[in-house]
Amino acid sequence: MNLIQGLSLAGLLAVVSVALAQQLGGLLSPLIFAILFGLVIGNLLPALSQGKWQPGLEFCKKRLLRIGVAFYGINITLQQVAEVGAGALVVDILMLGSTLFIAWWLGRRWLGLDGPTALLVGSGSAICGAAAILAAEPVLRARPQQTAMAVGTVVLFGTLAMLLYPLFYPWLGLSPQAMGIYTGATIHEVAQVVAAGSAMGDEVARVAIISKLTRVMMLAPVLLLLGYLLSRGSDNAPAARAPLPWFAFGFVAVVVANSLLSLPAAWVDAIRHLDTWALTMAMAALGLSTQLGALQAVGIKPLLLAGILFLHLTLGGLIVTHMAAGWL
């Protein structure tokens, strides 16, 4: 099996995506650019997702993706989680858990969405945006168009939150630390949290990033929960039970190793960069393999669900943060 052509194509799109993200000062994640470029090129030149290109792209979407998710834990330490205190952890857990519950219950019961679509939108909103959606895709056995639609909701509503939070900060009645926790617990993407937090001051940004990374640390148990929820869905036979996500345990192992071992800063930085490349290539391959015509079958309901989750995160998160102010 020749992987060179597909890997090279995904790698080229990753180079462009990372460079563009750097030019914009990290305002948007390179993962977002990668899927957008992949969608455009893959739909203009559909032959690039077939034939000799397909093995390499499949490798990116499956194996490279799982490796990237496992090593995403290099961004987090247990010490960072402890630094923000119990109040922040409570806000993170409440918002993550309630967002997933609303996505599953509302998406399935009210909107009539299938399990994978509802949970992909929910995981992207609840945990860490596109990276969480990519991690959940193999667990949920989602189709490329379902994943692409979920990523689109992260781009739309996460960017909206990133722009609105700094504007409303003076009127929310939150201290810089509380605002940081609120920001990290409710905005979708890590890059969006960094951009919003930086616009509100250094203290807000520092706490927001730690709060966000605490949400990211919950990725592994959430993946196990997602597989369990889907296996109970009415549209899945027992034989279709989701596979055990080994990369989730790898994620936890990397977090623990990064917390307990004094790894050289150069090593950590190199792993972070390589991990960004792996996930960006996986996202590019996903975009190349997704035909926009297939997105029509998914419909408007995932966007509606994402909008409801956005309102829950922004308004519900504000209420929860105020209630937890005694711990912050």
Side-chain angles (χ1 to χ4, degrees), residues 118-187:
L119 290 175
L120 283 174
V121 173
S123 61
S125 299
I127 313 171
C128 52
I133 293 169
L134 276 178
E137 181 191 19
V139 176
L140 302 177
R141 293 175 174 170
R143 299 188 302 274
Q145 58 266 32
Q146 294 171 314
T147 305
M149 176 64 79
V151 170
T153 66
V154 167
V155 176
L156 175 61
F157 292 107
T159 301
L160 183 60
M162 177 186 72
L163 298 174
L164 291 178
Y165 279 36
L167 292 177
F168 288 104
Y169 172 37
W171 293 281
L172 297 181
L174 295 174
S175 67
Q177 183 182 14
M179 187 65 197
I181 291 171
Y182 169 58
T183 300
T186 56
I187 293 183

Side-chain angles (χ1 to χ4, degrees), residues 283-297:
M283 193 67 91
L286 172 65
L288 286 164
S289 304
T290 302
Q291 294 300 306
L292 291 176
L295 294 178
Q296 295 178 356

Side-chain angles (χ1 to χ4, degrees), residues 270-293:
I271 293 172
R272 284 175 177 163
H273 279 86
L274 289 172
D275 188 62
T276 297
W277 281 100
L279 290 175
T280 305
M281 288 177 65
M283 193 67 91
L286 172 65
L288 286 164
S289 304
T290 302
Q291 294 300 306
L292 291 176

Side-chain angles (χ1 to χ4, degrees), residues 163-256:
L163 298 174
L164 291 178
Y165 279 36
L167 292 177
F168 288 104
Y169 172 37
W171 293 281
L172 297 181
L174 295 174
S175 67
Q177 183 182 14
M179 187 65 197
I181 291 171
Y182 169 58
T183 300
T186 56
I187 293 183
H188 301 59
E189 283 272 355
V190 174
Q192 293 162 347
V193 169
V194 172
S198 299
M200 293 181 281
D202 291 341
E203 185 177 356
V204 175
R206 179 184 64 83
V207 177
I209 293 168
I210 296 174
S211 176
K212 179 62 178 178
L213 292 179
T214 302
R215 279 169 76 192
V216 175
M217 191 181 68
M218 301 175 192
L219 178 62
V222 167
L223 291 178
L224 295 174
L225 174 63
L226 294 182
Y228 170 76
L229 285 175
L230 189 63
S231 70
R232 290 173 56 88
S234 59
D235 53 356
N236 287 272
R241 187 175 300 272
L244 190 66
W246 62 264
F247 53 91
F249 297 103
F251 176 90
V252 173
V254 172
V255 171
V256 172

Side-chain angles (χ1 to χ4, degrees), residues 9-52:
L9 180 57
L12 178 61
L13 292 184
V15 169
V16 176
S17 300
V18 170
L20 184 55
Q22 291 174 344
Q23 286 295 317
L24 295 177
L27 186 65
L28 290 175
S29 167
L31 276 65
I32 303 301
F33 292 117
I35 193 170
L36 291 177
F37 290 144
L39 280 169
V40 172
I41 295 174
N43 280 269
L44 290 176
L45 302 170
L48 290 179
S49 63
Q50 304 167 7
K52 65 181 181 180

Side-chain angles (χ1 to χ4, degrees), residues 54-103:
Q54 190 172 15
L57 295 179
E58 289 296 316
F59 177 86
C60 291
K61 290 192 298 179
K62 294 180 180 178
R63 305 214 172 201
L64 195 59
L65 165 62
R66 289 162 170 78
I67 294 171
V69 171
F71 280 96
Y72 197 70
I74 198 67
N75 295 288
I76 311 161
T77 66
L78 299 176
Q79 292 87 341
Q80 288 175 322
V81 176
E83 183 180 341
V84 296
L89 186 59
V90 168
V91 174
D92 278 334
I93 291 175
L94 284 176
M95 294 314 301
L96 189 153
S98 61
T99 301
L100 279 177
F101 173 78
I102 292 172

